[in-house]
Amino acid sequence: MKLYEEVVDALGAQASKSLLGLHQLMEAGTITREEFIDTAATVVDVARQRGTAAGEAYFRAYAEQATGRPYTLAATLPESQADRLSTALATILAASQDTHMQLDRLATAEPMEAASDGFQQAMQREKTVTGWTRGLDTGACQLCTWWWREGRVFQPTHRMPRHTGCRCHPVPQINVRSRNYQTEAQAQRLAR
């Protein structure tokens, strides 16, 4: 699913470029620290909303291909995360670490997480989905490969584990059963 990865990467790159540009304006004294935090939080929040929409759109493509019928998306906008993002940005500015690296990480990780969440939420609304497998990104790390569990089919309600920067995504299984299927008891144990 290279196109999914490219879209999510582009959303993060766009948000990162904006954040770094805003940070330069703040460093130059063109905008205040508060203006930076407010504007940067909005930029990342919008990137999250776009990520959610991208995740839902990619699920739609999977569902339409698997079922052969059109799939209608419920127009769901995620709640604003601006307050949480403002706090994160203030923390980044107060830290003695590499500010540009931290801003880039925040700007790229947030739309990735939102895309994964949007994909999973859309998948859970579709009644024909009997589970999902982990779709590994092209440069999957050892942890993601372990989470893949050799193609285990997880319950639709089981949240896919992720780490910061993870581009893996759930791959819906529509009306499919597998010998490597997560049972209800396993799902309940993992939810605890």
Side-chain angles (χ1 to χ4, degrees), residues 101-119:
M101 180 272 301
Q102 290 182 308
L103 291 173
D104 178 62
R105 183 181 296 164
L106 179 73
T108 56
E110 289 289 331
M112 281 183 200
E113 178 183 330
S116 179
D117 290 347
F119 194 108

Side-chain angles (χ1 to χ4, degrees), residues 8 36 64 76 89 132 142 150 158 169 179:
V8 171
F36 167 77
E64 287 179 350
T76 56
L89 289 159
W132 58 270
Q142 187 177 17
E150 297 182 13
H158 181 78
H169 56 281
R179 292 183 58 186

Side-chain angles (χ1 to χ4, degrees), residues 1-191:
M1 186 127 127
K2 190 153 177 59
L3 186 57
Y4 174 85
E5 293 175 21
E6 289 171 1
V7 168
V8 171
D9 286 348
L11 289 171
Q14 188 177 37
S16 178
K17 182 179 178 182
S18 296
L19 251 58
L20 296 177
L22 287 167
H23 188 256
Q24 285 179 339
L25 292 174
M26 185 191 80
E27 291 286 303
T30 308
I31 62 174
T32 66
R33 181 179 186 279
E34 290 73 28
E35 289 171 327
F36 167 77
I37 289 173
D38 288 344
T39 306
T42 300
V43 166
V44 177
D45 204 26
V46 168
R48 283 188 58 81
Q49 291 174 7
R50 290 178 176 169
T52 299
E56 289 180 350
Y58 278 96
F59 171 74
R60 177 183 175 184
Y62 268 121
E64 287 179 350
Q65 183 178 20
T67 64
R69 64 176 173 79
Y71 180 78
T72 312
L73 288 177
T76 56
L77 280 179
E79 280 189 38
S80 174
Q81 299 285 317
D83 290 341
R84 179 183 63 80
L85 294 167
S86 292
T87 301
L89 289 159
T91 302
I92 288 170
L93 292 178
S96 60
Q97 295 176 344
D98 182 350
T99 303
H100 281 192
M101 180 272 301
Q102 290 182 308
L103 291 173
D104 178 62
R105 183 181 296 164
L106 179 73
T108 56
E110 289 289 331
M112 281 183 200
E113 178 183 330
S116 179
D117 290 347
F119 194 108
Q120 193 138 16
Q121 289 165 5
M123 183 177 65
Q124 288 176 0
R125 289 191 298 265
E126 177 59 39
K127 300 302 180 213
T128 60
V129 173
T130 55
W132 58 270
T133 59
R134 184 180 193 88
L136 297 173
D137 83 36
T138 52
C141 68
Q142 187 177 17
L143 179 59
C144 289
T145 303
W146 182 77
W147 279 333
W148 174 62
R149 300 274 201 320
E150 297 182 13
R152 172 168 284 169
V153 179
F154 294 93
Q155 296 285 333
T157 55
H158 181 78
R159 184 169 171 78
M160 187 180 87
R162 302 183 65 254
H163 58 80
T164 302
C166 180
R167 295 183 306 183
C168 294
H169 56 281
V171 177
Q173 302 298 304
I174 299 182
N175 296 325
V176 173
R177 285 288 178 177
S178 165
R179 292 183 58 186
N180 192 6
Y181 194 79
Q182 179 190 41
T183 65
E184 288 289 333
Q186 289 170 325
Q188 289 173 0
R189 274 195 309 274
L190 286 172

